[in-house]
């Protein structure tokens, strides 16, 4: 099937530091990637949509300067949480959409998520 | 604006029995997709089933089937012969172009 790898699966960082989360499509080209945030026992909240080679489109209320998204290649998107604070602690999930047979068959494929804890 | 509503925060079903999870949505789009995703304790989002809005035939995937009522904007998921491994959070989702809207989820418990 279509596989998306997200790394790291969990990370603890100190307040004020930056953390980078990677999302890779392993067996297809991801023309569009999505970043979600999920609070405990809640649904997924879309943070931003990124297309390869262009700037990400952020949802209303999401700070562009805090959550930097880069989609420099068709297989890799990164989310950098800058100057992290405890309130940024959450579960972050990426998903990817490509073109071609795998997308028609599997639609949007999700990474396994990253649990971020800021202390 | 599009919305997806799951009115059952939690449900329980006896193992081997059948359960139906409800989902309604609101949209003015004519061309869209509907999904059910499963999120087990590992939190990996797993696609259970999807339905193209232009197809009248209800999608089925083994023990999982949907009842898609386009006019009523209803998209329920039926799980037959429930298994312990079906215990998870289930999210209904609507998608058009590259916009996906998730419902708040239904937590499904399987009783042995």
């Amino acid at each position: 099937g279509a596989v998306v790898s997200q790394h790291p699966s969990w990370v603890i960082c100190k307040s004020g530091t930056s953390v980078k989360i990677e999302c890779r499509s392993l067996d297809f080209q991801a023309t569009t990637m999505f970043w979600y945030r999920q609070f405990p026992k809640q649904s997924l909240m879309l943070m931003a949509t990124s297309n390869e080679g262009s700037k990400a489109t952020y949802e209303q209320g999401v700070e562009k300067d805090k959550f930097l998204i880069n989609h420099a290649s068709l297989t890799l998107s990164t989310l950098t949480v800058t100057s992290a604070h405890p309130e940024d602690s959450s579960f972050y999930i990426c998903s990817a959409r490509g073109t071609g047979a795998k997308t028609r068959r599997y639609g949007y494929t999700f990474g396994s998520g990253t649990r971020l804890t800021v202390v | 604006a599009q919305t997806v509503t799951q009115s059952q925060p939690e449900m329980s079903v006896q193992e081997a029995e059948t359960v139906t999870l409800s989902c309604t949505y609101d949209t003015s789009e004519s061309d869209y997709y509907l999904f059910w995703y499963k999120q087990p304790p590992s939190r990996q989002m797993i696609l259970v089933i999807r339905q193209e809005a232009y197809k009248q035939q209800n999608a089925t995937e083994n023990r999982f089937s949907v009842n898609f009522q386009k006019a009523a904007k209803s998209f329920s998921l039926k799980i037959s012969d429930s298994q312990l491994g079906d215990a998870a959070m289930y999210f209904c989702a609507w998608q058009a172009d590259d916009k996906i809207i998730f419902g708040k989820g239904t937590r499904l418990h399987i009783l042995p």
Side-chain angles (χ1 to χ4, degrees):
Chain A
V3 181
V4 170
S5 173
Q6 187 172 340
H7 179 81
S9 56
W10 61 271
V11 58
I12 301 173
C13 71
K14 290 185 177 180
S15 188
T17 62
S18 295
V19 174
K20 180 183 284 188
I21 302 170
E22 292 188 349
C23 182
R24 292 180 185 273
S25 57
L26 299 185
D27 55 356
F28 68 101
Q29 293 186 325
T31 50
T32 306
M33 285 190 172
F34 308 84
W35 288 95
Y36 296 87
R37 184 172 180 174
Q38 186 178 30
F39 291 102
K41 298 185 179 181
Q42 293 190 26
S43 189
L44 280 70
M45 180 190 77
L46 179 65
M47 298 175 65
T49 302
S50 71
N51 292 295
E52 184 265 339
S54 61
K55 289 185 178 180
T57 301
Y58 290 81
E59 295 298 303
Q60 194 171 9
V62 177
E63 297 178 61
K64 300 178 184 181
D65 295 331
K66 167 166 276 297
F67 300 100
L68 300 180
I69 292 171
N70 183 280
H71 191 167
S73 78
L74 284 172
T75 59
L76 174 65
S77 177
T78 59
L79 166 67
T80 301
V81 183
T82 63
S83 186
H85 290 286
E87 56 265 31
D88 299 325
S89 299
S90 192
F91 191 69
Y92 294 87
I93 307 176
C94 70
S95 75
R97 180 185 68 77
T99 57
K102 284 192 174 176
T103 292
R104 287 192 292 274
R105 172 71 175 90
Y106 298 104
Y108 295 75
T109 304
F110 286 82
S112 54
T114 298
R115 183 181 302 279
L116 170 64
T117 302
V118 184
V119 298
Chain B
Q2 291 78 16
T3 59
V4 176
T5 302
Q6 292 179 251
S7 58
Q8 305 149 318
E10 289 194 60
M11 291 192 73
S12 296
V13 63
Q14 208 75 36
E15 194 176 2
E17 296 295 310
T18 296
V19 64
T20 299
L21 308 184
S22 301
C23 173
T24 58
Y25 60 96
D26 191 20
T27 183
S28 57
E29 303 277 348
S30 59
D31 187 18
Y32 52 90
Y33 290 84
L34 295 164
F35 304 88
W36 278 98
Y37 284 95
K38 170 185 177 181
Q39 189 180 43
S42 68
R43 303 190 78 172
Q44 171 74 60
M45 293 288 284
I46 301 166
L47 177 64
V48 174
I49 199 165
R50 74 173 182 175
Q51 173 83 42
E52 292 92 334
Y54 66 86
K55 288 187 176 179
Q56 292 187 338
Q57 187 175 7
N58 289 324
T60 63
E61 285 286 344
N62 301 314
R63 298 183 294 107
F64 300 88
S65 61
V66 297
N67 183 1
F68 174 44
Q69 302 289 328
K70 190 171 183 179
K73 296 180 180 175
S74 171
F75 183 62
S76 61
L77 173 69
K78 186 172 82 171
I79 305 174
S80 303
D81 186 24
S82 297
Q83 300 175 359
L84 294 177
D86 295 333
M89 196 74 170
Y90 286 81
F91 291 100
C92 178
W94 171 98
Q95 179 255 318
D97 296 325
D98 271 332
K99 190 173 183 67
I100 306 179
I101 307 294
F102 288 91
K104 292 189 174 183
T106 296
R107 183 166 299 281
L108 180 64
H109 303 277
I110 309 296
L111 306 174

